[in-house]
Amino acid sequence: AEWRAQFAAVRASLSDAGYTAKSAAICDRLQALPAVRRATTVHCYWPLVARREIDTRPFIAACVAAGKRVVLPVVEAFGGAPRMVHRLYEGEDRLVTNRWGLQEPTGPLVAPADLDVVIVPAFGADRRGHRIGHGRGFYDAFLAETTAWRVCVVYEACLVDRLPSESHDIAASTVVTEQAVLGI
């Protein structure tokens, strides 16, 4: 909870211009990753812009323009065991808002086995690829179902040497900030 609060404070301190610039730099670094360039199917998340979650919309648009299939998560279970399904993104006008305010696609289901790369959201991450998310376990449960390359995106100010981790936590393969790309 302390780490989450610290990372949330970093997000809250970003000016509009700083938020836009940092997000754009992260998206540019994502697009340059060899795993992303080779990918045909990329799983990403639609950002909560009001909460200063890294704005992945330019990255999603670039993937679509490059002919890649983009897949977004859909929360299937709001209580109990965390469960997401994954649907094809068919445009911003085809997104619907769930009860948590997340924008989700309505396209066809895509199996985790069909994903080449997963862009993983986080409040913060460490240099080993471990992350602090919202704490509900949705991404850990999902990442256990796929062998896709896992890329965690965080602000440089939210990258630390070491975060606490548990045996069920699945580390990212790569961490991308606005300043660096760390291969794990």
Side-chain angles (χ1 to χ4, degrees), residues 25-168:
I26 289 168
C27 287
D28 289 346
R29 289 186 186 284
L30 283 174
Q31 291 172 46
L33 291 174
V36 170
R37 286 197 311 261
R38 288 189 304 269
T40 57
T41 305
V42 176
H43 187 285
C44 198
Y45 65 90
W46 196 263
L48 291 169
V49 174
R51 296 186 191 164
R52 296 290 200 229
E53 194 169 51
I54 293 164
D55 189 352
T56 55
R57 294 175 299 177
F59 172 73
I60 291 168
C63 286
V64 169
K68 298 178 188 305
R69 291 187 335 151
V70 174
V71 178
L72 302 177
V74 174
V75 176
E76 195 171 67
F78 287 89
R83 192 172 64 248
M84 294 188 304
V85 294
H86 316 281
R87 292 190 176 274
L88 187 65
Y89 170 74
E90 297 177 312
E92 191 169 349
D93 61 332
R94 301 284 310 270
L95 297 175
V96 295
T97 305
N98 76 10
R99 64 195 269 189
W100 288 340
L102 303 172
Q103 295 291 299
E104 299 175 328
T106 57
L109 287 170
V110 177
D114 294 337
L115 304 173
D116 299 312
V117 174
V118 176
I119 308 304
V120 184
F123 277 106
D126 69 19
R127 295 181 183 284
R128 302 173 305 144
H130 291 282
R131 58 184 273 283
I132 297 284
H134 288 280
R136 294 184 181 102
F138 283 93
Y139 269 86
D140 286 321
F142 158 47
L143 293 173
E145 300 174 345
T146 183
T147 58
W149 195 260
R150 299 169 310 277
V151 182
C152 183
V153 292
V154 295
Y155 298 111
E156 184 74 23
C158 298
L159 178 65
V160 298
D161 287 336
R162 191 172 190 87
L163 288 170
S165 62
E166 298 180 25
S167 60
H168 68 272

